[in-house]
């Protein structure tokens, strides 16, 4: 981050099993990128719910999971959970060796 000149705009947060610790960002975030993360989360509904809350209206989230670690069935369950939390699927792009979905808050 320092080499790229980005250290001034990156904010580190410590997450717990109960929360991402982002409540102070409610409605402020435009985009969330979650790469190879959702399958590691213990409470997936809470994860998507907290992300949904911090996104601005029309904000989006891109999730990508590796096919060698996540089954198609489990990925679909994650996307279903995201939809239950209020997300809408915009697109499910083809990504090499991965499952992916672009979600939006409406």
């Amino acid at each position: 981050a320092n080499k790229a000149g980005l250290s001034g705009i990156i904010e580190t947060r410590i997450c717990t099993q109960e929360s991402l610790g982002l409540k102070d960002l409610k409605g402020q975030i435009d985009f969330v990128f979650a790469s190879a993360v959702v399958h590691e989360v213990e409470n997936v509904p809470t994860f998507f719910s907290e992300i949904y809350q911090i996104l601005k209206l029309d904000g989006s989230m891109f999730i990508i999971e590796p096919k060698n670690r996540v089954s198609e069935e489990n990925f679909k369950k994650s996307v279903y959970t995201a939809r239950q939390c209020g997300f809408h699927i915009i697109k499910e792009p083809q990504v090499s060796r991965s499952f992916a979905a672009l979600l939006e808050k409406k």
Side-chain angles (χ1 to χ4, degrees):
N2 285 336
K3 286 182 183 179
L6 299 173
S7 59
I9 62 169
I10 295 174
E11 183 178 328
T12 304
R13 300 284 180 121
I14 297 175
C15 303
T16 67
Q17 289 183 352
E18 294 80 33
S19 173
L20 296 174
L22 303 173
K23 290 182 182 188
D24 60 311
L25 298 176
K26 187 175 182 177
Q28 296 182 41
I29 305 301
D30 294 305
F31 179 76
V32 172
F33 178 66
S35 177
V37 170
V38 179
H39 74 276
E40 299 286 352
V41 174
E42 192 168 311
N43 189 329
V44 176
T46 297
F47 174 79
F48 281 118
S49 178
E50 288 191 29
I51 297 296
Y52 189 85
Q53 290 174 32
I54 66 167
L55 283 173
K56 294 178 180 178
L57 190 60
D58 294 328
S60 56
M61 176 180 195
F62 185 70
I63 58 173
I64 186 168
E65 292 285 346
K67 287 183 177 178
N68 66 341
R69 296 212 176 154
V70 178
S71 69
E72 183 174 7
E73 179 182 349
N74 283 342
F75 183 76
K76 286 182 178 184
K77 285 180 184 177
S78 293
V79 172
Y80 176 80
T81 301
R83 291 180 67 214
Q84 294 297 107
C85 292
F87 283 100
H88 295 270
I89 300 171
I90 298 172
K91 189 175 184 179
E92 294 181 271
Q94 297 295 313
V95 178
S96 179
R97 298 182 300 225
S98 299
F99 299 109
L102 180 61
L103 310 170
E104 185 175 53
K105 178 180 180 175
K106 283 286 185 191

